[in-house]
Amino acid sequence: MYKATTRSILVTVEPSFVEAESSPGDNRYFWAYSIEITNKGEEVVRLRSRHWRITDANGRTEEVRGAGVVGKQPVLKPGEKFAYTSGCPLSTPSGIMVGSYQMQNEKGELFSIQVPAFSLDLPGERRTVN
């Protein structure tokens, strides 16, 4: 499990390899990642957008940006959590993801929070430093 806290907002990530969606013979490896965002602060915040940097074992990097997460822009009051699961295909058996969320408080202030870097490693394979 990977964790990062920015401005009293905790982001926890748990990646897992999805064998049923993968086809190693076709260089297709699929991971799911479950994320929980916990507002440990005193202000109400809304998740406005996401930014991901995904790097495979060959060093090829893809950047993904978009509104919200899984079609939602959740509002988190102090003490509230929001959890979701999404996925990522790669053409190599390992990689790494890192990202950020743009948040907005009730005053309209926009700020970024970090999503911790997390490793995508095929179970049973030698781990590669990405």
Side-chain angles (χ1 to χ4, degrees):
M1 186 169 304
Y2 302 83
K3 298 180 180 186
T5 301
T6 308
R7 201 165 157 167
S8 299
I9 300 171
L10 171 65
V11 179
T12 304
V13 183
E14 183 72 36
S16 59
F17 179 66
V18 183
E19 188 172 358
E21 297 291 324
S22 299
S23 179
D26 296 323
N27 293 320
R28 178 174 165 77
Y29 303 87
F30 193 85
W31 281 266
Y33 52 91
S34 296
I35 295 187
E36 184 176 87
I37 304 163
T38 306
N39 185 354
K40 295 183 168 238
E42 299 296 319
E43 58 186 351
V44 176
V45 296
R46 176 185 297 269
L47 190 157
R48 289 294 186 185
S49 63
R50 70 191 181 286
H51 172 234
W52 291 110
R53 191 171 63 247
I54 307 160
T55 306
D56 71 14
N58 295 326
R60 188 180 57 198
T61 298
E62 177 184 358
E63 297 212 28
V64 177
R65 296 177 189 272
V69 290
V70 294
K72 298 179 182 176
Q73 292 185 335
V75 174
L76 297 170
K77 296 176 184 172
E80 287 187 336
K81 298 177 182 181
F82 176 78
Y84 73 96
T85 299
S86 192
C88 173
L90 289 179
S91 60
T92 60
S94 67
I96 192 166
M97 286 181 66
V98 65
S100 62
Y101 298 129
Q102 184 177 63
M103 309 296 285
Q104 185 175 32
N105 64 18
E106 288 184 304
K107 297 174 189 171
E109 177 189 4
L110 295 170
F111 60 96
S112 289
I113 63 169
Q114 295 303 305
V115 177
F118 56 97
S119 185
L120 306 170
D121 292 304
L122 190 63
E125 292 289 313
R126 184 177 67 82
R127 293 191 176 203
T128 303
V129 177
N130 293 301

